[in-house]
Amino acid sequence: MARAAASADLPQVEVRDLYALYPDYLIDVAAEQAALSDARLLVWLHPVHWYGMTPMLKLWTDEVLSFGWAYGPGGTALRGTDLWLAVSTGGRAEAYRPDGLNRYFFDAFLPPYEQTAQLVGMRFLPPLVLHGAHRASDAEIDAHVQMFVSRLASYPAWPEIDEIPACDVRDVPAADRPSETA
C-alpha cells in the first residue's frame, strides 16, 4: 500500500518507510518532527503485531511524539492533525469476535491508538483494516489498496469526517512527567 501511495499522483502525500530510513533503529527525531510540521493527516500503515503497532512504530511514537513537542506544556505541534490507521491482520475478521480466537472485536485493540491521538490533540479517524492479509486473494488486496489510495486522494472530503468530533484537548501538567534528574 505504501508503494501504491508513493506511485500515485498525490503530491500532498509523503511516504516515510521507517524500516528503510532507520534500519539501525536510530530515529532522527528532528527530521521526523520536521516532516510532520505541515501534515494535516498522519497515516500509520502497518501490520498489527501482537495486537498493536510494530516495534519500529512504537519506538517512533516514543521518541518523536515527545513531551513538550507533541504533548505537555508547549506540546502542541500535532493539534488539529488527523490520525488514520491503515492496518492488516493475520487473522480473519471472524477471529475478532467474542466467540473467535482473539475473543474481542477488533475495536477493542484500538484504545492505545485512540489515546495517543487524544493526548497529542489529533482526531482519530475510523481505521481501514484488511483482515486475514496473508490469505487474501489478489483481488481482495487490489481492492483494499485501491480503497486506501482513493481515501488518500479524497482526504479530507470523506463523508463521515464531519461527524467525527475534534479532539477534546486536555493539558498535561508538567508535574505528570518525571524530571530528567529522577
Side-chain angles (χ1 to χ4, degrees):
M1 286 193 346
R3 276 182 274 166
S7 64
D9 186 22
L10 302 172
Q12 76 278 19
V13 173
E14 178 184 352
V15 175
R16 298 183 66 77
D17 180 343
L18 298 179
Y19 285 99
L21 288 169
Y22 308 114
D24 54 6
Y25 281 69
L26 298 174
I27 294 173
D28 184 340
V29 173
E32 292 303 310
Q33 289 176 344
L36 292 168
S37 65
D38 294 325
R40 291 178 32 214
L41 174 66
L42 174 58
V43 179
W44 284 347
L45 171 63
H46 66 87
V48 171
H49 187 264
W50 282 104
Y51 309 106
M53 58 182 67
T54 62
M56 178 64 88
L57 184 55
K58 176 65 171 103
L59 179 64
W60 183 95
T61 302
D62 289 345
E63 294 187 7
V64 175
L65 304 185
S66 60
F67 185 76
W69 184 81
Y71 72 101
T76 61
L78 297 174
R79 282 194 184 168
T81 303
D82 287 331
L83 176 62
W84 186 36
L85 190 60
V87 296
S88 60
T89 68
R92 297 171 313 164
E94 296 79 28
Y96 289 92
R97 298 168 30 120
D99 61 343
L101 176 66
N102 297 309
R103 300 182 15 200
Y104 299 97
F105 292 110
F106 186 75
D107 290 358
F109 301 100
L110 296 178
Y113 297 99
E114 293 171 323
Q115 184 56 34
T116 298
Q118 175 73 35
L119 182 66
V120 301
M122 292 188 291
R123 177 171 54 173
F124 187 74
L125 302 178
L128 177 65
V129 182
L130 174 63
H131 288 291
H134 65 286
R135 292 192 177 144
S137 69
D138 289 345
E140 290 170 316
I141 293 170
D142 288 345
H144 187 75
V145 169
Q146 290 308 311
M147 173 63 76
F148 176 69
V149 172
S150 172
R151 298 288 280 182
L152 282 177
S154 66
Y155 175 84
W158 296 358
E160 73 277 14
I161 211 162
D162 291 335
E163 313 242 338
I164 303 168
C167 182
D168 176 25
V169 177
R170 298 177 187 171
D171 290 326
V172 178
D176 284 357
R177 179 75 177 173
S179 69
E180 295 296 321
T181 58

